[in-house]
Amino acid sequence: MQGRTDRRPGAWLGLMLAGAVAALPAQAAEPDFGPHVHVLAPGMPGIQQRIDDIYAAQQTNHFGPRRDAILLKPGTYRDLRIPVGFFTQVLGLGQHPDEVHVIGDLRSTAFLENDNATQNFWRGAENFSVTPTLGIGDNTLQWAVSQAIPFRRMHVRGNMRLNQREGWSSGGWFADVKVDGVVNSATQQQWLSRNSAWGRWTGSNWNMVFVGVSNPPAGEFPTPGQRFTQVERTPLVREKPYLFIDAKGAYAVRVPALKRNSVGVSWAGGRIEPGRTLPISRFHIARPGDTAAALNAQLAAGKHLLFTPGEYLLTETLRITRPGTVVLGIGLPTLRSDNGQPLVQTADVDGLTVAGLFLDAGLQDSGVLMAVGEPGSRQRHRADPIVLHDLFFRIGGAAPGQVHTALRIHAHDTLVDHTWLWRADHGQGVGWDSNPSAHGLWVEAEDVTVYGLFVEHFQQAQVVWRGNGGRVYFYQSELPYDPPTQAAWQSPTGRGHPSYLVDPAVTRHQAWGLGIYSVFLQPGVVLDRAIEAPRAPGVRFQHMITVCLVDKGSIERIINDAGEPARCRGGSNTATLKAWP
């Protein structure tokens, strides 16, 4: 018997459309990232209002608990303005930065009066492109920022300015960034650019460092207006993992491969860099309220961790022990312990990645906030190192906190790709006896490499380096503001503690582009030496500057007994040294 044919109007078209829909790949379910991950798509109604509401909450949230991540699905967003406030991260979900295109504006606006962006901390943008038609004019994106502001894997289809009008900004970073036009650093005091490219760079203040940049500016430190440090190639790095949506609509995390002697952006020409892709199913999506015991159980079971925005009060240490584990935070998730337990401890194993976390000191001294490896670690990781990206440490500021040392590195060959370790100089629970902390970074391991080391206000040496083969590309450090007297701030080698201390037993160490600054609030406080290091054939420092920023005190020498004083009264407030020894 011949089958019947439905001849109702539109029936045949409906069958065709149904078949076409069935042939399309099924869209994966949207992960539950929680209420402070805002997933947006082109054409979604109310996008601008949602972004404006986030900014209204975060614009002045200098020390508050709220955290937000804005995720942009692939496509073009027309006439969209994205202001970025405190504790906000904007992330594109393309596999390539140009798969997400914002035509409009991305902006960081100065937090303080008089266009002052020196407290514009804790915000970031990654993995998308911007055409700044609604910027500050002349197709220019304004990114007025200071510390802890990861700007990565970005394509600015225009120009970029690193301050606001004539106001100050102080200490920034970008990596894997392409700017089609001009980057104007203007009053920006110091900056590190790694593996980036632009049409032209203009501007210099104290300390501008370029590593693996294809078109660095001409001129060389210490010439005023040309205080540039150029390192032709990035010797060894693994770019930060990023969240993206694959061709089937499923979320995944791309972990780029280790690269050596690299120049320029990893995604030039539309390529996807070598690496591995981890489906989101292999991650435990952590949300505030998860206990440390539950997180450790997930890690022990072989899961990676994706931390979503918010505050996590941990009652035991997070232990990362399996080789190749990825722990990735979005929206600056904040870990804190008030019972004297360290926040993070890694094993001495290959290929760990810890990225995008904010570590806050608690009420009881835990000794250390994060330890990489353990004392006596012996394994070598040359082919597959542990890598830390965008880790930010805070002692005080939001509440009283204390810790002896913020970050200790025991595992050989570790790479650190941007960190800010900050003993708070303002906010709540701030004072010589209120937020005590001796050291920011302590390195015991060999062949540790750091790109972008920001360490400030600790009460003894900001950095202690005891392992051979260390390399630091860009160092920015303000000394503690608050020593009450010179007698309270003395080291075994003289008045005050050096900012950067290399142990006398070290025979190999190199550093490029170091800026060390004083803001002593009490009279009669000085520092004898900004840097102390042993005189050995393999110990070398390139391009150092010291600056006295207020009306009190001085830094008498740059490194050991070399370099002129930087005095706020009775001489120049700035001193430079091209090389030592």
Side-chain angles (χ1 to χ4, degrees), residues 87 177 350 377 486 501 572:
F87 298 112
V177 169
D350 279 351
S377 291
Q486 188 72 69
L501 175 62
S572 173

Side-chain angles (χ1 to χ4, degrees), residues 204 217-230 542-543 578:
S204 166
E220 188 172 351
F221 190 96
T223 305
Q226 298 179 3
R227 286 179 179 149
F228 302 132
T229 300
Q230 302 102 338
Q542 304 289 328
H543 299 184
K578 187 170 182 177

Side-chain angles (χ1 to χ4, degrees), residues 332-375:
L332 294 125
T334 299
L335 312 183
R336 181 182 173 94
S337 168
D338 283 331
N339 65 351
Q341 296 296 312
L343 292 170
V344 179
Q345 171 73 63
T346 82
D348 184 23
V349 296
D350 279 351
L352 300 181
T353 301
V354 185
L357 297 181
F358 190 105
L359 296 95
D360 211 1
L363 295 173
Q364 295 186 38
D365 186 352
S366 59
V368 63
L369 295 182
M370 180 174 180
V372 181
E374 297 179 350

Side-chain angles (χ1 to χ4, degrees), residues 108-120 142 144-146 161-170 187-189:
S108 178
T109 298
F111 171 59
L112 300 175
E113 295 180 351
N114 300 317
D115 302 315
N116 186 335
T118 59
Q119 291 184 16
N120 277 41
Q142 174 184 289
V145 291
S146 291
R161 186 179 178 93
L162 305 181
N163 79 323
Q164 180 170 305
R165 300 187 184 93
E166 300 305 317
W168 288 105
S169 50
S170 180
T187 62
Q188 178 61 244
Q189 292 168 348

Side-chain angles (χ1 to χ4, degrees), residues 419-457:
T419 187
W420 186 36
L421 305 106
W422 186 58
R423 176 181 168 260
D425 60 273
H426 61 277
Q428 299 297 315
V430 170
W432 192 251
D433 299 316
S434 301
N435 61 330
S437 189
H439 310 290
L441 174 65
W442 188 289
V443 178
E444 291 281 351
E446 294 187 6
D447 298 316
V448 171
T449 300
V450 184
Y451 304 99
L453 179 55
F454 301 76
V455 191
E456 300 192 282
H457 312 309

Side-chain angles (χ1 to χ4, degrees), residues 243-376:
L243 185 67
F244 74 100
I245 297 176
D246 67 18
K248 296 182 179 180
Y251 284 77
V253 171
R254 183 69 174 173
V255 184
L258 192 69
K259 57 185 179 181
R260 300 176 187 274
N261 299 318
S262 59
V263 178
V265 299
S266 67
W267 46 270
R271 70 175 180 263
I272 304 301
E273 69 284 306
R276 58 186 174 129
T277 295
L278 303 174
I280 199 69
S281 60
R282 294 183 59 185
F283 283 79
H284 171 70
I285 299 176
R287 295 175 58 176
D290 283 1
T291 65
L295 296 172
N296 280 328
Q298 294 287 343
L299 288 167
K303 287 279 192 176
H304 307 278
L305 291 185
L306 179 71
F307 277 92
T308 62
E311 293 189 314
Y312 297 75
L313 186 63
L314 305 182
T315 57
E316 60 185 75
T317 301
L318 191 69
R319 298 190 180 279
I320 309 169
T321 61
R322 297 171 67 94
T325 299
V326 174
V327 176
L328 174 64
I330 59 173
L332 294 125
T334 299
L335 312 183
R336 181 182 173 94
S337 168
D338 283 331
N339 65 351
Q341 296 296 312
L343 292 170
V344 179
Q345 171 73 63
T346 82
D348 184 23
V349 296
D350 279 351
L352 300 181
T353 301
V354 185
L357 297 181
F358 190 105
L359 296 95
D360 211 1
L363 295 173
Q364 295 186 38
D365 186 352
S366 59
V368 63
L369 295 182
M370 180 174 180
V372 181
E374 297 179 350

